[in-house]
Amino acid sequence: MSDNQKKSRRGGLRRNLSWTFSGQLVVSLIAVATLFITARALGAAALGVLALVEAYVRLIDLIFRLEPWQAVIRFGVRAHDAGDDAALARLVKLSLLVDAAGGALAGLVCLLTAPFLAPLTGLPAGTGVHYVQLVALGLFLSFRPTALAVLRIFDRFDVLARIDVASALLRLALTAAAWLAGLGLWAFVLLLLLQSLMDGLLALVFALRLLRRRGVRGVAGADWRRALAENPGFLRFLWNSNVNVILRQSVNRLDVLAVGALLDLRAVGFYQLGKRVMNRATKLAAPLRQVIFPELSRLWSRGQHARFNRMVLRMSLAILAVQLVVAVPILLNLEAVIRLIFGPDYAGAGPVMAILLVSSIVYASGIILNPALLAMGRDRLLVRATTVSAVLMAASFVPLVMAYGVEGAALANLGFNLAWTAGCLLGFRHVRGSLGGA
């Protein structure tokens, strides 16, 4: 690679990181404002109902739908770099079919199981089931994974950032309107459905327009079976990359449902408050994983292992530093912050939020290991690390909740992230060692 090409790559990576991080920072601030309004409008118990509805739908979606974006990026980058527009069109068609089939399956399962399983989580048997079924309708139109892959292959992270910010602003405005109008829980459930529809369709519209502008045509009539033949290992990579996500994200949904089953709606409200703040902190780092994955894939495929390792190390340390700068002042004044922002109904949520905030720091510090291992072709190792962590959390969750209440659920979450980060780090070091520490 020439010096000019290297500079262009570095400049593109910095530009993508800038767009993604700034966009996610704005989205996170808007999301905190939305959470503030929702918490004030509903109170802890009703917030718990909303959390259980969202967790149930998202859990079913995670289990029954495979997201193809990581596989499409891994194989689509090669087609794009080679200028093979026809091969890329076939890959996009395959991705759209995977999205459509997975969304339909997840939506049907959610609609059919809600009357039997949703009440077991602590949701009201009547209205709670109807809330779940309403939000589940959004699963049938979920094409965001394909859109993400297309926009990232073409380095249009700015488009994604603008879409996410616009969507977050619209939800904030509608949430504020529902609060000021004195609307009840049903209005906030409708907002969950609207958010699902926007996430599923908005990015796809822009992705398809981008494909046409870049000369990638004929996606609708492309032969998806040929895409499978052209990309051996696509299905294996699709499965392994999703098993890791399914295990990790299922833990983040299942624990909310388990708290509802074991404790009460107020405890769910406390836990959801902490999880949302934790997720906001984590999501500041998560897009960096998505931005860096195409670049790591290129470096590894070209044998540039030293640059690969430096990038992983620098990004991990940078994320840790930012997390500590943001989190430490909050941790030192947590109870006062909670009372000021969310109101007296959430007094006592400090310990839960503190544990979950530390958990988010642990996870975010090792988040770059996820795309690093995938780029190295070590998707099986990543699955093993996530599986072991999930088993440890499953074994410890009920005893910890029985002993410490909702704080025990937060401790189980922390244990999961500690185990996952340690497992990924050990696997990464092992692969580096087998290459002579290159």
Side-chain angles (χ1 to χ4, degrees):
M1 182 183 290
S2 67
D3 289 340
N4 287 336
Q5 287 176 316
K6 289 179 181 178
K7 290 178 181 178
S8 177
R9 285 290 183 202
R10 286 196 294 268
L13 182 61
R14 285 194 294 269
R15 183 179 64 254
N16 291 337
L17 287 173
S18 175
W19 269 110
T20 305
F21 184 77
S22 60
Q24 195 54 236
L25 179 60
V26 173
V27 169
S28 293
L29 293 174
I30 296 170
V32 170
T34 304
L35 177 61
F36 156 73
I37 294 172
T38 304
R40 288 273 184 171
L42 296 180
L47 181 65
V49 172
L50 192 67
L52 291 173
V53 170
E54 184 177 11
Y56 187 91
V57 174
R58 299 307 171 204
L59 179 62
I60 296 296
D61 186 37
L62 283 165
I63 293 173
F64 290 95
R65 184 163 65 92
L66 300 180
E67 293 192 351
W69 70 269
Q70 293 182 99
V72 174
I73 287 178
R74 172 141 193 220
F75 294 96
V77 161
R78 294 188 305 194
H80 174 59
D81 289 351
D84 193 342
D85 292 340
L88 183 57
R90 289 189 287 271
L91 194 59
V92 172
K93 172 66 174 294
L94 175 60
S95 182
L96 287 170
L97 291 175
V98 171
D99 276 341
L105 177 61
L108 286 172
V109 170
C110 201
L111 290 173
L112 295 174
T113 60
F116 309 102
L117 299 182
L120 299 179
T121 67
L123 281 168
T127 55
V129 172
H130 296 153
Y131 289 154
V132 168
Q133 292 176 326
L134 179 63
V135 177
L137 296 177
L139 300 180
F140 290 92
L141 295 172
S142 185
F143 294 94
R144 184 177 172 89
T146 297
L148 295 182
V150 170
L151 293 171
R152 285 166 183 160
I153 287 173
F154 287 99
D155 281 339
R156 293 311 308 267
F157 292 83
D158 57 324
V159 174
L160 286 174
R162 291 188 183 107
I163 291 171
D164 289 342
V165 170
S167 177
L169 282 171
L170 179 59
R171 184 173 182 183
L172 173 62
L174 292 174
T175 301
W179 180 33
L180 294 173
L183 301 181
L185 179 57
W186 64 270
F188 292 86
V189 174
L190 280 175
L191 288 178
L192 283 181
L193 173 61
L194 178 62
Q195 184 69 44
S196 179
L197 291 172
M198 288 191 298
D199 287 344
L201 295 174
L202 273 181
L204 178 65
V205 173
F206 286 89
L208 294 177
R209 288 176 56 191
L210 177 62
L211 285 173
R212 287 194 296 270
R213 288 201 302 269
R214 296 298 180 91
V216 181
R217 302 183 183 278
V219 171
D223 184 359
W224 61 271
R225 295 178 184 84
R226 187 174 171 186
L228 286 174
E230 291 170 338
N231 300 285
F234 178 89
L235 291 179
R236 190 209 79 191
F237 192 87
L238 173 68
W239 173 255
N240 282 338
S241 61
N242 272 274
V243 166
N244 172 65
V245 174
I246 288 169
L247 289 171
R248 162 163 286 284
Q249 294 299 323
S250 293
V251 167
N252 285 332
R253 303 295 179 183
L254 189 58
D255 60 350
V256 175
L257 299 175
V259 170
L262 294 171
L263 300 174
D264 56 32
L265 291 175
R266 186 174 174 80
V268 176
F270 279 18
Y271 193 66
Q272 177 71 350
L273 191 69
K275 286 289 293 288
R276 280 300 175 89
V277 174
M278 168 189 167
N279 288 341
R280 283 300 111 200
T282 301
K283 284 184 177 181
L284 287 175
L288 305 183
R289 175 191 66 189
Q290 298 160 4
V291 170
I292 205 173
F293 179 53
E295 185 64 21
L296 288 176
S297 296
R298 290 187 178 98
L299 291 176
W300 190 260
S301 66
R302 293 168 180 163
Q304 297 175 321
H305 298 153
R307 288 187 61 199
F308 180 96
N309 292 333
R310 286 197 299 272
M311 183 173 289
V312 172
L313 178 62
R314 288 171 181 171
M315 292 296 296
S316 297
L317 291 176
I319 292 171
L320 175 60
V322 171
Q323 292 277 311
L324 290 176
V325 168
V326 174
V328 169
I330 295 175
L331 284 170
L332 293 176
N333 303 279
L334 196 51
E335 281 291 353
V337 170
I338 292 172
R339 286 195 300 272
L340 176 65
I341 296 178
F342 300 106
D345 198 36
Y346 296 90
V352 177
M353 190 177 291
I355 297 169
L356 290 174
L357 197 54
V358 172
S359 182
S360 74
I361 294 171
V362 171
Y363 171 60
S365 300
I367 201 170
I368 299 300
L369 295 172
N370 185 309
L373 290 170
L374 288 176
M376 297 161 91
R378 297 308 195 270
D379 43 292
R380 291 190 180 97
L381 192 155
L382 188 60
V383 170
R384 285 198 296 272
T386 310
T387 302
V388 170
S389 304
V391 170
L392 290 174
M393 180 171 178
S396 64
F397 191 88
V398 174
L400 285 172
V401 171
M402 292 295 98
Y404 302 106
V406 68
E407 289 85 358
L411 287 170
N413 184 287
L414 173 60
F416 174 86
N417 282 330
L418 283 169
W420 181 84
T421 303
C424 289
L425 181 59
L426 289 173
F428 181 74
R429 288 171 61 87
H430 175 74
V431 176
R432 284 185 59 200
S434 67
L435 295 171

